[in-house]
Amino acid sequence: MSRRFGKLPPLTALEGFEAAARLKSFSLAAEELNITQSAVSHQIRSLEEFFGLSLFNRVGRSVEPTVAGLDFLETSGRLLDMLARGKRRLNYYHRPGSVVFGTTSALASKWLLPRYRALQEWFPEVQLWLYTSNEIYELDLQEVDLAIWYGSGDWSGLESVKLFNDRLTPLYAPQYFQQRPAIHQAADLYGYPLLHDERPDDWFSWFRQLGFNEHDKVEGSVFNDPGLLLESAAAGQGVALGSLVLAANMLAQGQLLQPLNDTLVTHDAYYLSYDSSQPMRPAVEKVKQWLLREAETFSASQGWADTESPAA
């Protein structure tokens, strides 16, 4: 019976070859892999004997991959990368309840962590890990199982399930502004310092939606973190065009007040994203289903559920 993959090259030699071809040096490859230079030379020689081809041009002490060597460098690099990913995935089986969430610090602190107790009560064995970043990244490189990202939902190679759009509206702490007229209508906001974050849906968009097209200048402090924007507003530093997703607890606790009912529905939305090409561990699948239900419950509590129920 023939072998499924045919006769393969000596796999133990791949690391030495890949490092030497990438670094163009046997000695640097040996230093990187913490082995001797002669061991690297032996690994490469075993590959050259297997293929019957020279993989390097040796000129004095320097080496350059041949055309064949460059071709095999691409193959070996992909293979080693896949093996490294597979090894990382197996690490989680030592901790069967572990689930790594990746999201922004704002969503983690304002929306996800306040729900962590409910998750623990429903799934006592869960060990939630949080990786926070405002950037979009490769999930496997950060060992992230489930990411909650804000954007278009179109991220290459990932399955993305919409949780909900955000709603933006003026939010502030009125006790700090007792010497100013109360906010009863949009025009009253021009007597207050306005706070901004870096979303494309901004104060200009909110005012234009209400027909205030004559205003072409809106000044005030700018934050790249929408969570800090809310903290600034709660500290009396101005009125934020704040997220009702992130501010839900602060509103319930009286740290912030929503003076107007007018809201701006964001073009972008929060999405649950994951790599559907990889098998999902049972703990991750369980937390995924919990999160989808939690998002649906939250949307319903805000009166958004009719148009934005996440699909499993």
Side-chain angles (χ1 to χ4, degrees):
M1 184 176 179
S2 62
R3 297 167 65 173
R4 178 182 176 185
F5 299 108
K7 188 176 180 182
L8 296 173
L11 300 182
T12 54
L14 293 184
E15 268 195 301
F17 165 78
E18 189 278 336
R22 172 169 43 84
L23 299 171
K24 299 183 179 180
S25 168
F26 288 6
S27 60
L28 290 178
E31 182 179 342
E32 180 179 287
L33 298 174
N34 197 27
I35 58 178
T36 65
Q37 185 172 335
S38 62
V40 172
S41 298
H42 176 75
Q43 291 180 9
I44 292 168
R45 187 162 54 251
S46 68
L47 285 172
E48 290 180 325
E49 290 174 356
F50 176 85
F51 290 119
L53 292 168
S54 293
L55 299 177
F56 290 91
N57 290 319
R58 297 161 177 83
V59 183
R61 294 187 177 183
S62 64
V63 294
E64 287 283 343
T66 62
V67 174
L70 289 172
D71 191 314
F72 193 60
L73 171 61
E74 182 179 352
T75 300
S76 59
R78 287 202 307 269
L79 177 58
L80 290 169
D81 184 56
M82 289 180 65
L83 287 171
R85 295 180 187 184
K87 176 182 177 296
R88 288 197 297 268
R89 290 184 61 81
L90 290 181
N91 289 339
Y92 289 112
Y93 290 93
H94 293 292
R95 305 180 298 275
S98 68
V99 178
V100 183
F101 264 123
T103 190
T104 64
S105 59
L107 191 74
S109 62
K110 303 297 185 191
W111 193 86
L112 187 57
L113 282 182
R115 290 166 171 75
Y116 185 35
R117 183 181 294 277
L119 173 58
Q120 286 182 307
E121 290 174 354
W122 182 76
F123 183 14
E125 298 81 14
V126 70
Q127 298 177 45
L128 184 62
W129 295 23
L130 278 176
Y131 173 77
T132 59
S133 173
N134 292 329
E135 305 298 326
I136 303 299
Y137 46 81
E138 293 187 41
L139 298 187
D140 60 318
L141 294 182
Q142 302 299 341
E143 303 181 34
V144 167
D145 297 307
L146 300 169
I148 306 176
W149 286 335
Y150 181 78
S152 66
D154 183 18
W155 296 297
S156 178
L158 297 180
E159 183 82 15
S160 293
V161 181
K162 183 177 177 180
L163 301 178
F164 33 68
N165 290 83
D166 208 345
R167 265 74 171 171
L168 305 181
T169 192
L171 301 172
Y172 79 133
Q175 65 270 25
Y176 292 102
F177 299 99
Q178 295 179 4
Q179 304 305 314
R180 297 175 185 260
I183 300 173
H184 296 299
Q185 56 188 353
D188 297 332
L189 289 165
Y190 285 99
Y192 284 78
L194 301 182
L195 307 177
H196 314 250
D197 64 17
E198 295 181 338
R199 300 178 195 238
D201 301 297
D202 56 10
W203 276 111
F204 291 111
S205 304
W206 187 85
F207 278 117
R208 280 198 299 269
Q209 179 177 272
L210 299 182
F212 285 74
N213 297 315
E214 70 274 15
H215 298 283
D216 60 358
K217 186 177 183 181
V218 181
E219 297 181 341
S221 300
V222 180
F223 298 80
N224 75 331
D225 184 325
L228 290 178
L229 172 75
L230 296 177
E231 295 293 342
S232 177
Q237 295 169 8
V239 181
L241 184 64
S243 158
L244 288 179
V245 170
L246 301 180
N249 278 11
M250 299 177 78
L251 287 165
Q253 295 166 8
Q255 295 174 270
L256 290 170
L257 175 71
Q258 179 184 349
L260 305 173
N261 291 325
D262 304 288
T263 62
L264 176 67
V265 180
T266 60
H267 177 74
D268 288 332
Y270 287 101
Y271 288 85
L272 175 64
S273 298
Y274 52 92
D275 185 354
S276 60
S277 69
Q278 299 291 337
M280 188 171 283
R281 291 178 289 111
V284 178
E285 178 64 36
K286 193 169 183 177
V287 171
K288 172 194 164 189
Q289 296 304 324
W290 171 83
L291 182 65
L292 293 174
R293 287 197 296 271
E294 191 66 25
E296 187 169 2
T297 299
F298 173 74
S299 293
S301 73
Q302 301 295 313
W304 305 343
D306 290 345
T307 57
E308 296 177 24
S309 296

